[in-house]
Amino acid sequence: MPETSQDSALVRDAFAGLARALKRVSIYRHAPGQHASFVEPVLATFREVLSRRPAVTISVEQGSLTFEGQPVYTEPPREWGLCFRLHRDGIRTITFKSGLSAEELLDFMDVALPDSQGGPATSREDAVTELWKADLASIEYTAIAGYRIEEHGGPGFSQAVEALIQRVQELTQASGSDALADHGAPPLLWDDGLRKKNDSQSWGELARRAALTVLRIVERDLAGWDLEALQETFWRLVDDGAERGEVLAVVAALDGARRLQGQHAAGFRTALSRKMMDEKRLARAVELVGLSDKGAAQILASWLQLLPAEAGPNIASALATATRGDVIAPLAHAALVRLGTSRAFVEEILHRGPAAVSLGILAQLGAVQAVRPRAELAAAALGHPETRVRAEAMRIVPIEPQVAVERLRPLLEDADPQLRMTAADALSSCISVAEPAALLLIRAMSRPDFEQREREELVVFHRALGRLQSTTGHSYLAERLAHPKKGFLKKRRNEQEQLLAVQGLAEEATLRSLRILEDAMVPGRGHPPSVVNACRAAALRIRTPRGARGGGNQ
Amino acid sequence: MSPRDRRPDGGVLSQVFDVSGAQATRERRQQLGRDAVMALNAIQRNARNYGEDNKVFGPPIAQLKAAVMELLGADGLFELEITDDELWINRQAIRFDAGSVPLAANLRNELRERGIRAIVTHLPPPDTDLRLLVRLLSPAVPRTLGPRGDPSQPLKTFVLRTGPVAAAPDPASERMTRYATVYASAAFFVNHTIQQLRVGGELIPLWAASRMVQDLVDLQGAAPLRFLRLARMKPDQPDRYWGIHAANVAVLAVTFGARLGLSKRRRHDLGMAALFHDVGIAAIPANVLAKQGKLDQKDRGFLDASPLFAARAILRDREVHGAALERALAAYECHLDMVPKEGAPPEVGLGGRILAICESFDALTTDRPFRRAHSPREAIGIMTTEQLFRFDPALVDLFVKVAQPLL
């Protein structure tokens, strides 16, 4: 292969590798530690071609980079493309020279990295300035002479500048003309240590102070017709800060916005919050909580506090995919305080969302002030596939007894005995709707298979029925104690039935239940000794003042 | 010399001397220039006897190509210029040993006879172009040469500058013109920006200011003392104060930054911030600025707000990269007292602390409507005593060393 063709092939390989590396760097922007490994193969190819020739000069065109007239990299001309940006900013050739290092290549890639698609085009300086600032020894560039003040100064430029040039020249001549040529650079006043100590401003630090400066301008009513532009700048500081993981800067900016005073404060917050509610941005805020940085936990709270009422669906959407407890809790709280827009979504998550999320929402239900919606939301979780969610929901639903009566019925007949018991227990607190609740319990207890269930469950149901203090429930229990079902070989079962009724009546703890129990103790009634003893104990318990019983509720 | 700021037509736009400057690079450039001249000379001599496809041109073409490629690699440019009595390679006069001088003179004459003033390329030349050079140096060359040589067989990459040979520029004079031009452009930029902000007109784009500050930083690196002396410039008319003040602050700040050993990037940030640090005065009524007596509360309110107006003028551009933020913050923070009369000390970055000192020094040494200018020594005296609360004391001490040539 002729030498030039071989070089062209190598340069093509190098740029194909560079394109791959750029893609990887743009994907892993947040992991700069890995970037060096991305450029290693590219560097090796560049070094190979640079060992064969002293320099490789690439021409920059709108949609391609060419080497000796042959394209080595092409892309559709689009605003965020590498070639387009370099060309637009005036760069026409780039020369890679021998001695190229990985650091230089990485610095070059920082400049060459395409703007994020659809992102703000103003998040960086123009390519010529960036390359000039990078001050790369082994990568040079040529730029067109345009983009200079001469082209933009208007008709008055030449005249104004000429007059001044003359005065400056006179001054320079008066102070010693060219004979005063400098001899060597004067000594430095700071060493590396002092420089580092005095000049270590990170982007985050600058962004934080810039955001607070924007707020100061707005608060003092100095924004004038630039208010909208300043709002946009502030948002970009927040957005870029979130992208870069500058948690402290974002938190400071958002807290500042929340405290902002003045006649434009409300409008400023509204404009900001509408941008913050975007699903992707919200997802990024959620992601940041996972960072180990200081303040990471605070960022989501600060973010959510500013979101408008209509952000409910987006918050719910973020909530649906959340996995961390410290994310679920604030998101759930934020979704619940925006129930006007989030209700359907929250109910859906409660019904079939991940268990951890559903439980998280149930834990935050206190954020909903009104009792009925709170109970209804909890009731939505009664259909959740996971038992622990349903159980937790059942503990909450009775805060609104009507809802409990409406929604707990199916759970009394659930396949899971624990759930049946929890449901019965939950219903037992619905004193204000005691009669319908008692009917539900009695209906469940009248099922043919009820008597075959574990004793623990039978006890829970009977006690629940008693606790309701309903007329229907009382009659049911009294009947069971006084007239158990008769039949040969059913003696033992009847005795058990009576004992369960005693427990229910003891739980009812009313005068009427006391009378029934005392009546059952009369020897003439012919009840078994175990039933009589149980009635005695129960009667004693009812008569004993609650405070004197010891051991709390039984 | 860095060639990036040169016009494609070869005119010097922004720099007239080598600021990249390593001696080794200059020597290498000399050698490559000599190689190119000797190769062209060999081509020209052989072109009298052989056709352009003859193998005899192989070695000189290869030598020329190697020199062109290396210069392109080093400078991004190959530019062989012919003056009355010299040959220049990439704006550097080529020195020849005694044996080579006649050969160089021969080539110079041959090229001048053909009206060729310079041979330039920014791109690696293909072999066809090098062969076309043989044709151009042969006796059968067409009478009229265009920028691409023979119009019937144009060069692809090389550009010929034709016409009468210009006199060699006077480096000292060009250098002074360059300093003056960049300084004057900076002052113009600030005055223009303030004016346009007042009327809501179209501003000069930032990239133009950025290129200008790049020039300032490069010029400072090339001749620090001469550069610093630009800060002695004072306005001859009150309405030109702000532009010259900002240009002076840029000169002082870039110099201060260089003495502190700050990177090129940071010096550029300082220069940009200096140009913008007073644009907030665009929001202050002209009569308040020109007032000679004591300011009332309303006037004082305008002045107090002006630093925030400066920040607003920058932050409204929606740019959030580090340089823009540094610019906005330095422009605002340089007006804050380091030890305020009440409240906690403000957060002021290094840029703001440097600009505060440079801006006060220039303001104190300039005539204002409300007072006469102080001498530089008096200004330093004021800054280190009664106004010290405004500054970072450690930086003021260092600034005294930096400003020594002005005292």
Side-chain angles (χ1 to χ4, degrees):
Chain A
M1 191 187 289
E3 204 170 286
T4 310
S5 315
Q6 210 173 341
D7 286 355
S8 294
L10 277 172
V11 174
R12 222 178 357 261
D13 285 351
F15 274 88
L18 189 67
R20 279 194 299 274
L22 280 169
K23 195 164 187 182
R24 294 182 75 186
V25 167
S26 67
I27 292 169
Y28 297 99
R29 274 177 207 254
H30 307 302
Q34 295 178 31
H35 296 179
S37 64
F38 301 159
V39 300
E40 268 170 26
V42 189
L43 186 64
T45 319
F46 267 116
R47 282 182 174 160
E48 191 180 342
V49 72
L50 289 171
S51 69
R52 302 157 61 87
R53 48 168 66 216
V56 171
T57 297
I58 303 298
S59 302
V60 179
E61 286 163 28
Q62 274 207 342
S64 67
L65 301 176
T66 61
F67 173 66
E68 296 187 340
Q70 300 296 314
V72 289
Y73 174 80
T74 53
E75 64 182 17
R78 50 194 179 192
E79 221 171 299
W80 59 88
L82 153 70
C83 304
F84 186 90
R85 175 169 181 260
L86 293 175
H87 193 273
R88 177 197 65 198
D89 291 354
I91 292 176
R92 291 296 177 266
T93 67
I94 300 167
T95 301
F96 297 86
K97 300 197 297 183
S98 53
L100 182 66
S101 67
E103 291 74 27
E104 286 180 310
L105 202 51
L106 279 171
D107 284 346
F108 173 73
M109 283 172 64
D110 262 352
V111 179
L113 204 60
D115 292 320
S116 3
Q117 194 172 337
T122 50
S123 58
R124 58 210 294 205
E125 291 181 279
D126 67 277
V128 172
T129 300
E130 286 194 340
L131 275 175
W132 179 88
K133 283 186 171 182
D135 203 14
L136 307 172
S138 307
I139 302 175
E140 292 189 347
Y141 64 93
T142 56
I144 55 168
Y147 304 116
R148 289 193 161 270
I149 188 168
E150 294 91 326
E151 297 164 19
H152 302 281
F157 176 79
S158 304
Q159 202 186 345
V161 170
E162 281 305 321
L164 195 51
I165 286 173
Q166 202 178 337
R167 289 194 58 226
V168 177
Q169 282 178 325
E170 284 163 13
L171 173 86
T172 319
Q173 278 157 0
S175 64
S177 78
D178 205 46
L180 287 170
D182 298 71
H183 297 289
L188 295 184
L189 300 170
W190 273 351
D191 58 20
D192 283 347
L194 273 172
R195 231 175 349 265
K196 205 170 175 186
K197 183 180 158 199
N198 284 289
D199 190 25
S200 56
Q201 288 195 99
S202 64
W203 184 89
E205 179 58 19
L206 289 171
R208 182 182 65 79
R209 298 214 313 275
L212 297 180
T213 304
V214 170
L215 295 175
R216 212 167 284 138
I217 295 168
V218 174
E219 190 161 270
R220 289 182 60 181
D221 196 17
L222 300 176
W225 56 74
D226 290 330
L227 180 63
E228 205 177 308
L230 291 175
Q231 278 170 354
E232 181 64 23
T233 303
F234 186 88
W235 161 242
R236 286 183 181 181
L237 288 168
V238 170
D239 195 26
D240 253 37
E243 270 305 304
R244 295 168 187 246
E246 294 287 355
V247 173
L248 290 178
V250 176
V251 169
L254 295 181
D255 287 351
R258 191 166 45 80
R259 288 194 300 268
L260 183 68
Q261 304 281 317
Q263 59 167 320
H264 298 298
F268 188 91
R269 273 191 291 270
T270 304
L272 176 68
S273 64
R274 290 198 193 292
K275 288 179 170 138
M276 289 172 66
M277 67 184 266
D278 174 78
E279 274 189 52
K280 278 187 191 163
R281 269 51 184 252
L282 187 53
R284 178 63 188 152
V286 168
E287 224 176 274
L288 287 175
V289 180
L291 297 180
S292 56
D293 291 29
K294 197 176 161 193
Q298 214 189 322
I299 190 167
L300 190 57
S302 300
W303 196 285
L304 292 170
Q305 272 179 329
L306 279 165
L307 295 189
E310 59 265 35
N314 294 5
I315 297 172
S317 170
L319 181 58
T321 53
T323 51
R324 295 168 55 101
D326 51 359
V327 166
I328 292 171
L331 280 175
H333 187 273
L336 290 170
V337 297
R338 292 165 183 81
L339 210 54
T341 55
S342 68
R343 182 164 183 158
F345 302 91
V346 172
E347 281 180 347
E348 178 65 17
I349 298 171
L350 283 166
H351 187 59
R352 65 184 75 191
V357 177
S358 301
L359 287 170
I361 298 173
L362 291 173
Q364 295 294 325
L365 276 180
V368 181
Q369 298 291 321
V371 174
R372 187 168 179 96
R374 203 189 316 168
E376 284 170 346
L377 283 170
L382 294 174
H384 196 277
E386 286 217 24
T387 305
R388 56 192 172 129
V389 177
R390 296 203 297 272
E392 183 58 30
M394 277 187 273
R395 276 188 266 280
I396 300 168
V397 171
I399 56 169
E400 175 53 66
Q402 194 62 47
V403 175
V405 168
E406 286 164 14
R407 307 293 292 272
L408 286 176
R409 182 184 164 188
L411 286 152
L412 292 172
E413 290 162 17
D414 196 277
D416 184 335
Q418 278 302 329
L419 278 181
R420 292 195 297 265
M421 286 190 277
T422 310
D425 205 38
L427 265 183
S428 72
S429 63
C430 300
I431 306 287
S432 63
V433 286
E435 295 306 324
L439 277 174
L440 284 182
L441 285 171
I442 292 168
R443 194 172 299 154
M445 293 159 78
S446 308
R447 284 173 64 97
D449 61 340
F450 184 73
E451 284 176 18
Q452 274 84 54
R453 290 181 187 166
E454 292 291 326
R455 180 169 167 75
E456 185 193 356
E457 187 179 346
L458 304 182
V459 170
V460 167
F461 268 74
H462 280 85
R463 283 184 167 189
L465 188 60
R467 207 175 298 135
L468 281 169
Q469 299 180 339
S470 65
T471 308
T472 321
H474 174 81
S475 304
Y476 178 87
L477 294 170
E479 175 68 19
R480 289 294 166 110
L481 176 59
H483 307 290
K485 290 175 188 169
K486 300 280 187 195
F488 186 66
L489 295 178
K490 286 195 175 172
K491 187 180 174 195
R492 179 76 186 154
R493 184 172 294 168
N494 293 340
E495 191 179 324
Q496 278 184 7
E497 210 170 83
Q498 284 180 304
L499 287 171
L500 288 167
V502 170
Q503 292 209 37
L505 289 167
E507 204 66 22
E508 186 184 318
T510 56
L511 275 175
R512 64 184 181 188
S513 66
L514 181 63
R515 273 200 298 275
I516 296 291
L517 289 167
E518 285 175 341
D519 184 62
M521 287 153 55
V522 175
R525 297 289 179 219
H527 293 310
S530 60
V531 174
V532 172
N533 287 338
C535 287
R536 188 171 295 122
L540 183 62
R541 185 162 170 262
I542 293 170
R543 277 197 220 98
T544 310
R546 190 170 285 268
R549 281 182 206 165
N553 288 340
Q554 296 297 312
Chain B
M1 163 179 182
S2 170
R4 59 175 168 267
D5 292 317
R6 311 187 70 180
R7 290 187 188 282
D9 66 3
V12 176
L13 184 76
S14 64
Q15 290 173 336
V16 290
F17 49 88
D18 192 339
V19 291
S20 62
Q23 186 64 23
T25 311
R26 284 197 291 271
E27 284 310 311
R28 183 66 189 149
R29 198 178 288 130
Q30 283 286 331
Q31 183 56 50
L32 293 169
R34 284 192 288 270
D35 289 352
V37 169
M38 292 306 124
L40 284 167
N41 201 54
I43 291 169
Q44 185 271 323
R45 278 188 286 115
N46 285 317
R48 294 176 195 156
N49 307 316
Y50 303 104
E52 61 193 73
D53 295 329
N54 196 291
K55 283 183 183 173
V56 73
F57 294 109
I61 283 181
Q63 185 181 358
L64 177 62
K65 185 174 183 181
V68 171
M69 295 305 292
E70 191 169 341
L71 283 163
L72 284 176
D75 296 339
L77 171 77
F78 170 84
E79 183 187 52
L80 181 70
E81 286 181 280
I82 301 99
T83 65
D84 270 344
D85 51 5
E86 279 185 307
L87 288 163
W88 292 59
I89 189 74
N90 286 8
R91 304 301 292 171
Q92 200 173 307
I94 307 172
R95 297 186 305 273
F96 293 97
D97 57 34
S100 306
V101 167
L103 301 177
N106 173 60
L107 180 68
R108 206 169 57 236
N109 290 334
E110 290 289 338
L111 291 172
R112 283 170 58 178
E113 277 175 19
R114 288 163 176 77
I116 298 173
R117 193 154 61 86
I119 302 171
V120 187
T121 180
H122 293 270
L123 299 172
D127 288 348
T128 49
D129 259 22
L130 293 163
R131 288 278 167 188
L132 284 173
L133 283 183
V134 176
R135 186 178 160 78
L136 290 176
L137 291 170
S138 72
V141 63
R143 278 171 186 273
T144 317
L145 292 179
R148 292 289 180 183
D150 181 356
S152 64
Q153 279 185 290
L155 294 157
K156 283 187 182 141
T157 55
F158 282 113
V159 174
L160 302 182
R161 228 176 287 143
T162 55
V165 171
D170 169 14
S173 139
E174 258 193 82
R175 200 172 295 172
M176 286 169 70
T177 308
R178 181 74 204 126
Y179 276 107
T181 307
V182 175
Y183 178 91
S185 300
F188 174 85
F189 171 80
V190 176
N191 277 336
H192 186 270
T193 300
I194 290 172
Q195 196 180 14
Q196 295 301 89
L197 283 172
R198 279 211 170 106
V199 298
E202 194 180 342
L203 297 175
I204 294 173
L206 266 180
W207 59 67
S210 172
R211 303 283 203 281
M212 199 166 60
V213 175
Q214 287 167 30
D215 288 345
L216 281 174
V217 173
D218 285 343
L219 289 170
Q220 191 281 331
L225 191 58
R226 187 178 301 108
F227 181 78
L228 177 60
R229 285 188 173 136
L230 289 171
R232 283 186 173 161
M233 185 75 190
K234 297 297 166 196
D236 55 349
Q237 293 167 33
D239 65 335
R240 293 193 182 156
Y241 169 76
W242 298 105
I244 288 182
H245 170 62
N248 285 345
V249 176
V251 166
L252 291 167
V254 168
T255 303
F256 198 1
R259 287 295 303 276
L260 296 175
L262 301 185
S263 65
K264 213 166 153 182
R265 180 184 297 273
R266 298 289 287 121
R267 280 177 277 152
H268 186 271
D269 292 344
L270 278 175
M272 289 294 280
L275 295 187
F276 282 92
H277 83 279
D278 266 341
V279 295
I281 61 109
I284 302 177
N287 63 325
V288 175
L289 291 174
K291 215 170 198 175
Q292 299 194 9
K294 202 175 175 186
L295 298 176
D296 61 24
Q297 201 178 353
K298 194 178 167 194
D299 298 341
R300 178 59 58 190
F302 280 122
L303 284 181
D304 289 346
S306 97
L308 281 173
F309 277 121
R312 168 183 149 185
I314 301 168
L315 290 168
R316 71 179 193 164
D317 281 340
R318 301 170 166 91
E319 292 189 326
V320 295
H321 52 75
L325 301 182
E326 177 72 46
R327 188 159 65 238
L329 289 172
Y332 166 61
E333 291 171 352
C334 73
H335 299 282
L336 304 177
D337 295 341
M338 290 295 286
V339 184
K341 284 178 190 155
E342 51 192 38
E347 289 182 284
V348 181
L350 180 64
R353 284 182 281 149
I354 289 177
L355 283 195
I357 294 168
C358 299
E359 136 14 86
S360 288
F361 178 78
D362 185 68
L364 286 169
T365 53
T366 307
D367 280 333
R368 304 303 315 279
F370 46 88
R371 62 149 170 75
R372 300 288 302 163
H374 295 281
S375 72
R377 278 187 194 284
E378 285 170 350
I380 290 287
I382 293 168
M383 288 167 68
T384 50
T385 53
E386 60 199 87
Q387 285 194 3
L388 191 59
F389 69 94
R390 292 197 54 213
F391 312 115
D392 176 339
L395 280 177
V396 174
D397 288 346
L398 296 177
F399 180 76
V400 175
K401 293 179 187 170
V402 174
Q404 197 61 41
L406 301 176
L407 301 183

